[in-house]
Amino acid sequence: MTINITQGVSSQIPVAVMPFNGQMIKNSQLPDGIAAVIADDLRNSGRIESQTSGFPQQIDNVQQINWSKWSADYVLIGQIDKNNGHYNITYELASKLSGKVLSARKFTNLQEGQLRLLSHTISNYIYEAITGSKGYFTSKLAYVDVENPYNVKKAVYQLVVSDYDGFNPHVLLRQTKEPIMSPTWSKDGKYLAYVSYHKGGMAIYTIGVYSGERKKVANYEGINSSPAFSPSGTTLAMALSQGYSENTNIYLMNLNNDKLYNKLTLNGINTAPTFSPTGSEIAFVSNRGGNPQIYTTAIDSKYPSSERLTYGAKQAFDPQYTPNGQSIVFMYQKDSSSGTQIAKVDLRDKKITVLTHGSMDSSPSVSPDGNMIIYAQGQPSGGANLAMVSIDGKVQISLPSNTQGAIQSPAWSPAV
């Protein structure tokens, strides 16, 4: 996969990522080696500028660094040793400010198939050492890959889990003609909930990410859609019509017994619930004001009540809280003649900031540290690929996929 940085920002932290010394490793998982994966991870964070060439020195250890020659604030060096078919990997991250090693580790007795995951793990340590925020490069993505999306009889739907950067895609579920929609992660990263038309009926299922075990949790009359796990993992929010009507309301289900126990909305089409980081409130989409807009409601309200959050937009869809609970990112349409972009709204002053510049951007999902947003970037040809944008809109990254179909509904897992 080729990662294209389509827009950057000069205030990023400069880090020199040098090729690891010793045994060169290049394969389908590591086409450009360990250092290249680490450099891409740091660059994808939107906060770091990775330098991978044009080094002022060729060094074997941090003691050889002459800082007066380096413009980078940090230098990463590493060593790869192969012994009896296994690998030992070491790295050191040196800081220009202190002149000392900021982070260093050694990993032993690794198989070649483990080295891409190790690269992401090293990126986590480096990112945290530099920024103070926990790294998330071992997190996962879930998305729906649709082949022949405009041919009802030949459309193939796949529920896919991959590394956060799109590598190592694994198909959890494959269905012909029967759509899969709205995958969402449990907070422990072990389960996905999704909507499926399997065997003709619309229902909400959960599936074990590692076991593949499926369970039908909601199959009520009419519409069963838009599942969302609570932070505690014990509750699933969903949109149900409870009959054959286009109107839906937000319900809460106790996952210990699969029983509905609360109805949070009344009247109109209410859908796409998402929990706040504390689990005390839910954001959702409602057309009660005429056009779809985002509302919030407390989950412990004695009577259904809600507050409108988005104003000044023709339509607003797919809300997702940032981990700090200060903003909601969503799919935005300014007016009837414009396309859709990704935007965020501040929960304190309700100010909307548009982050992307496409015409068919949809399905935002926020990284575990809250700094990046992944979304489906629609193409004029009719397909769609994954793309990322920083929470301030200053960094834009495209992740072209190998699929000939369309990528839908990306969902970023918790940090694992």
Side-chain angles (χ1 to χ4, degrees):
M1 178 173 291
T2 301
I3 297 175
N4 297 323
I5 309 297
T6 57
Q7 179 177 312
V9 60
S10 60
S11 61
Q12 293 170 308
I13 302 167
V15 178
V17 182
M18 303 192 69
F20 280 32
N21 296 318
Q23 175 75 34
M24 291 298 295
I25 304 170
K26 289 190 177 184
N27 53 40
S28 60
Q29 293 296 304
L30 297 163
D32 297 305
I34 289 176
V37 175
I38 297 170
D40 283 343
D41 287 343
L42 299 179
R43 188 182 298 114
N44 288 348
S45 73
R47 302 175 67 179
I48 293 173
E49 178 187 3
S50 300
Q51 178 187 358
T52 56
S53 62
F55 304 116
Q57 289 180 277
Q58 295 301 316
I59 57 177
D60 297 318
N61 57 71
V62 297
Q63 287 73 30
Q64 297 174 343
I65 298 175
N66 181 349
W67 285 110
S68 65
K69 297 182 178 182
W70 292 80
S71 59
D73 291 346
Y74 301 89
V75 175
L76 174 70
I77 66 170
Q79 179 71 35
I80 303 171
D81 295 313
K82 188 175 183 180
N83 184 23
N84 294 326
H86 290 78
Y87 294 87
N88 298 325
I89 311 291
T90 59
Y91 79 86
E92 291 180 295
L93 176 70
S95 168
K96 187 175 186 177
L97 180 64
S98 66
K100 297 180 180 179
V101 173
L102 191 63
S103 177
R105 282 177 172 80
K106 182 176 182 178
F107 307 88
T108 60
N109 202 34
L110 297 164
Q111 298 179 9
E112 188 167 322
Q114 298 174 293
L115 296 183
R116 187 171 184 89
L117 176 59
L118 173 69
S119 304
H120 291 314
T121 302
I122 293 174
S123 299
N124 284 347
Y125 289 127
I126 294 169
Y127 183 74
E128 185 169 7
I130 293 173
T131 68
S133 299
K134 185 177 179 181
Y136 56 88
F137 305 108
T138 51
S139 61
K140 302 291 185 181
L141 290 182
Y143 57 88
V144 179
D145 181 9
V146 187
E147 300 173 5
N148 305 311
Y150 301 108
N151 188 322
V152 175
K153 294 183 178 180
K154 295 183 178 180
V156 178
Y157 297 84
Q158 297 185 126
L159 178 59
V160 181
V161 171
S162 72
D163 294 351
Y164 93 96
D165 55 4
F167 270 84
N168 296 323
H170 174 66
V171 178
L172 284 181
L173 182 63
R174 179 182 172 91
Q175 295 178 179
T176 301
K177 296 188 291 186
E178 296 177 322
I180 299 170
M181 300 179 294
S182 306
T184 184
W185 290 89
S186 63
K187 299 310 174 182
D188 60 6
K190 295 181 180 179
Y191 295 92
L192 288 165
Y194 64 96
V195 177
S196 175
Y197 283 85
H198 184 56
K199 295 184 179 179
M202 187 181 192
I204 296 173
Y205 296 78
T206 59
I207 186 169
V209 175
Y210 302 104
S211 68
E213 182 179 355
R214 281 181 283 171
K215 177 183 178 182
K216 186 185 294 184
V217 296
N219 188 26
Y220 299 98
E221 185 179 56
I223 297 171
N224 300 265
S225 66
S226 302
F229 285 98
S230 67
S232 67
T234 60
T235 298
L236 194 68
M238 60 190 70
L240 305 174
S241 65
Q242 294 283 45
Y244 291 100
S245 166
E246 67 175 10
N247 291 338
T248 56
N249 283 297
I250 308 302
Y251 292 81
L252 300 181
M253 173 180 282
N254 184 338
L255 289 175
N256 292 321
N257 56 20
D258 295 345
K259 301 291 186 181
L260 298 177
Y261 71 90
N262 201 356
K263 181 180 180 181
L264 297 179
T265 60
L266 293 172
N267 304 321
I269 299 175
N270 303 281
T271 188
T274 181
F275 282 90
S276 67
T278 63
S280 61
E281 70 176 21
I282 279 178
F284 63 97
V285 176
S286 177
N287 72 340
R288 64 187 63 183
N291 292 324
Q293 300 291 340
I294 296 171
Y295 293 75
T296 60
T297 185
I299 66 169
D300 59 358
S301 297
K302 187 174 182 180
Y303 303 102
S305 63
S306 56
E307 178 184 0
R308 181 170 167 175
L309 183 61
T310 52
Y311 293 87
K314 172 70 174 179
Q315 299 185 99
F317 307 92
D318 293 339
Q320 294 289 323
Y321 283 89
T322 56
N324 61 14
Q326 296 179 2
S327 303
I328 286 177
V329 301
F330 65 101
M331 180 177 162
Y332 165 90
Q333 184 182 30
K334 181 179 180 180
D335 53 49
S336 299
S337 61
S338 63
T340 57
Q341 296 82 41
I342 306 303
K344 70 174 178 179
V345 57
D346 190 292
L347 291 174
R348 293 163 295 187
D349 59 17
K350 298 184 180 180
K351 178 184 177 182
I352 292 176
T353 304
V354 181
L355 303 176
T356 65
H357 312 294
S359 60
M360 293 177 285
D361 301 334
S362 63
S363 303
S365 183
V366 187
S367 66
D369 77 333
N371 194 58
M372 297 297 290
I373 302 161
I374 197 157
Y375 63 97
Q377 185 179 58
Q379 301 298 323
S381 62
N385 58 268
L386 298 174
M388 290 192 285
V389 61
S390 59
I391 194 66
D392 59 7
K394 293 181 178 180
V395 178
Q396 309 272 346
I397 299 173
S398 179
L399 302 174
S401 67
N402 294 324
T403 179
Q404 299 300 310
I407 301 296
Q408 299 177 354
S409 303
W412 212 320
S413 80
V416 291

